[in-house]
Amino acid sequence: MSQKLRCLVIGIPEAKAAEGSLRPEEFASIELGDFDGFLPLPAGLELVVTPLFCKTFDALEIIERLGAQDYRKLLRVVAPKLPNRQIVLRELRSHAARQGITIELIEEGPPESGGA
């Protein structure tokens, strides 16, 4: 595992770093089962990205695992369009605050259509 790692993506296998944003040794995209191979987390790790939920885990589990490793930086949670984003964000933040982690919730997908 690279001590230069700055961004770790967990559970989004198709994820790639934006071109020119990170050197290859600064970015890794892994499955949750590979997480232990990245321990201890490097001090330079600035960002962890994970889905809100997938077949094998959810963001709350990632918050707990990161907290147990003394990760105290940014967790970006990627979600589909949500009917009530604020409720989900509040729940994530309540768990993350206990661990000292900052949460950012990013919704993907087409905007909901609705009447004006």
Side-chain angles (χ1 to χ4, degrees):
M1 194 245 338
S2 172
Q3 288 301 313
K4 296 179 181 182
L5 188 66
R6 291 177 46 209
C7 178
L8 179 62
V9 178
I10 303 171
I12 307 174
E14 68 278 4
K16 296 191 183 340
E19 191 171 328
S21 65
L22 296 169
R23 293 187 298 275
E25 67 273 13
E26 295 176 330
F27 177 85
S29 180
I30 64 170
E31 293 298 327
L32 182 58
D34 298 326
F35 182 73
D36 289 345
F38 282 78
L39 300 179
L41 295 173
L45 183 63
E46 302 167 2
L47 172 65
V48 176
V49 181
T50 193
L52 178 60
F53 52 85
C54 64
K55 290 180 183 179
T56 58
F57 67 91
D58 63 25
L60 296 179
E61 181 177 346
I62 299 301
I63 290 168
E64 295 301 319
R65 285 184 177 226
L66 291 173
Q69 297 302 315
D70 293 326
Y71 179 79
R72 302 289 182 258
K73 296 178 184 168
L74 180 62
L75 175 62
R76 182 173 295 151
V77 177
V78 180
K81 280 294 192 185
L82 300 167
N84 196 329
R85 180 182 191 280
Q86 289 307 317
I87 290 175
V88 173
L89 186 56
R90 192 176 313 124
E91 179 73 13
L92 290 170
R93 284 185 174 156
S94 73
H95 288 273
R98 290 191 291 259
Q99 303 293 344
I101 297 170
T102 301
I103 292 286
E104 187 176 89
L105 180 61
I106 305 296
E107 291 178 287
E108 293 187 333
E112 293 181 24
S113 59

